[in-house]
Amino acid sequence: MITATAPGKIILFGEHAVVYGRPAIAVPVTQVSAQVTITETGGDFVIEARDQNRTARLSELPDDDPIAAIVRKTLTALDETATAGATLIIQSTIPIAGGLGSGAAVSTAIARALAAFYKRELDAATISSLVYEVEKLHHGTPSGIDNTVIAFGKPVYFARGQPIETFNVPTPFRLAIADTGIPSPTKIAVGDVRAAWQADPAKYESLFDRCGEIARQARALIESGQPDGLGRLMTDNHAVLREMGVSCPELDSLVEAAMRGGASGAKLSGGGRGGNMIALVTATSEGCVREALLRAGARRVILTTVKASNVKRDLSLA
Ligand code: PMV
C-alpha cells in the first residue's frame, strides 16, 4: 500500500490581486492535510473519496471531474497508459471551499501517490504544473499560488509569470486561523471581482496595487526579522479586501473579535465571502484570541507557526 500526503495552505497577503499580476505571500499549514492511499487490487481502477461518500471507477468519470483529471494527467506525465487494477482512497482534514487549498492538496497528494505507486519520481515543479491544470477546473483563472505553495511545501512569494521565490523567516511567528464555517467556492468570488474590475478598472487596479505594495512590505518585514509589524499590514489588507467586495459580516466579525482578543492584526485569507481568516498572535495573546474567535462563532481555530524554509530562493531552479 502506498500513502502520500499534502498540506493545506493559507494566503498571508495578496489574494485576488495576485490573479492580476501583483505579488502574494502564502505558507503551508501542516496541521491540516490531504492523504491518499493506493492499494493494488486487480480489476478496475477505483477512486474512493471518503469525505464526500463517493466511490467511482476511473473509466466512468468525465474528463472535467477534478479527481479523474489529476489521475489522468499524472498517468500521462508518468507515461503510464493502462491503469493498473487498484483502489485510490482520498481522505482530507482540510475543509472544502474554505480557502485552505483543499482542492490543490488533494490533487498534489494524488500525484505524489501515483508517482510512488509506479516507483517513479515527479519533482515539485512538475506536480505543481499538473495541479495547476486541475485548478483551472475548480475556477477558470487561478493565479497558480495554491498549487505552488502546496506542491513545494514552502513559504512562497508568488507573482504570476515570475520565477517562484521562497523567502527567509529568521524570526518565526504565530498565526491563529479561524473558520467561519461558511463554504465559499473561490470561483464565485474571483468571478465577482472580475466583473467589478471590468465595470471600474481604475478603482480595481488601484486596489490591486495597494495589495501588491502590502505584500512587498510584508516580505521585507519577514525577511528582516520584524514579523511584529505584519499585524498592521494584515489589518490594512483586510480593509482593501472589504473595498474589493470579498469580505462578509462573519469574516468582519471574526477579524474584530481577534483584535479585541489581543491580536495585532487580522484579515480574511483566500477567496473570501466565508472560509477562513487569520490573525497575528503571540505566545501570550494566542489563548485569548482563540477564545474570542470561538465566542464570536468560529467553527475551528488552528494555531500555526510560520518558520524558515531553508531552500533555494528561486524555487523554479530547485
Ligand atoms: O480560496 P483560495 O485560498 O483557494 O484562494 C484563492 C486565492 C485567489 O487569489 C482569490 C485566487 C487565486 O487563484 O489566486
Side-chain angles (χ1 to χ4, degrees):
M1 188 175 82
I2 298 294
T3 300
T5 63
K9 70 100 221 312
I10 42 156
I11 297 182
L12 289 186
F13 294 99
E15 50 275 271
H16 287 290
V18 68
V19 176
Y20 299 83
R22 275 50 164 205
I25 295 178
V27 296
V29 176
T30 50
Q31 282 87 348
V32 287
S33 61
Q35 181 182 312
V36 168
T37 59
I38 306 180
T39 314
E40 204 159 355
T41 49
D44 290 316
F45 191 94
V46 174
I47 295 169
E48 214 181 298
R50 291 248 165 113
D51 311 308
Q52 296 170 29
N53 267 332
R54 218 181 104 188
T55 303
R57 278 192 281 275
L58 176 64
S59 55
E60 290 166 346
L61 292 170
D63 282 343
D64 63 356
D65 177 278
I67 291 173
I70 189 66
V71 171
R72 293 191 177 117
K73 285 177 196 302
T74 307
L75 291 173
T76 306
L78 293 168
D79 280 329
E80 293 291 343
T81 42
T83 47
T87 298
L88 181 152
I89 298 172
I90 305 160
Q91 284 166 292
S92 173
T93 56
I94 311 173
I96 293 172
L100 293 182
S102 134
V106 165
S107 293
T108 299
I110 290 176
R112 285 182 179 156
L114 281 169
F117 183 73
Y118 287 102
K119 300 190 173 46
R120 303 273 295 286
E121 291 273 325
L122 283 180
D123 62 20
T126 306
I127 291 183
S128 179
S129 62
L130 291 170
V131 175
Y132 178 69
E133 290 307 309
V134 178
E135 287 291 285
K136 287 186 192 163
L137 298 173
H138 289 290
H139 77 95
T141 55
S143 62
I145 192 166
D146 277 23
N147 48 287
T148 303
V149 64
I150 289 172
F152 284 94
K154 316 276 183 208
V156 296
Y157 180 81
F158 179 93
R160 234 175 159 164
Q162 305 287 322
I164 305 142
E165 293 174 57
T166 189
F167 51 86
N168 284 329
V169 188
T171 308
F173 52 96
R174 293 280 282 169
L175 294 174
I177 306 170
D179 193 346
T180 60
I182 304 169
S184 173
T186 307
K187 194 173 187 161
I188 296 172
V190 169
D192 288 353
V193 170
R194 183 161 299 272
W197 168 69
Q198 278 160 349
D200 193 346
K203 174 180 170 189
Y204 273 75
E205 286 295 326
S206 119
L207 293 174
F208 298 151
D209 282 343
R210 281 163 64 193
C211 294
E213 191 41 42
I214 288 171
R216 273 182 218 102
Q217 288 178 20
R219 177 182 179 167
L221 284 175
I222 295 171
E223 287 198 307
S224 60
Q226 305 175 74
D228 293 353
L230 295 176
R232 185 184 50 78
L233 293 180
M234 281 186 183
T235 303
D236 289 353
N237 199 166
H238 185 71
V240 183
L241 289 161
R242 280 188 65 167
E243 269 187 70
M244 237 183 247
V246 294
S247 192
C248 65
E250 292 81 359
L251 281 167
D252 291 342
S253 97
L254 290 186
V255 165
E256 281 158 28
M259 299 304 285
R260 276 200 309 277
S264 55
K267 65 182 278 292
L268 71 84
S269 176
R273 301 269 175 82
N276 280 267
M277 56 75 68
I278 55 175
L280 187 68
V281 295
T282 59
T284 323
S285 70
E286 65 185 37
C288 284
V289 173
R290 189 170 175 279
E291 273 305 303
L293 288 166
L294 290 170
R295 263 202 314 275
R299 292 293 163 83
R300 159 160 88 163
V301 178
I302 297 168
L303 293 165
T304 191
T305 303
V306 180
K307 45 185 195 274
S309 64
N310 290 328
V311 287
K312 292 175 194 159
R313 290 167 59 90
D314 179 346
L315 290 178
S316 61
L317 304 176

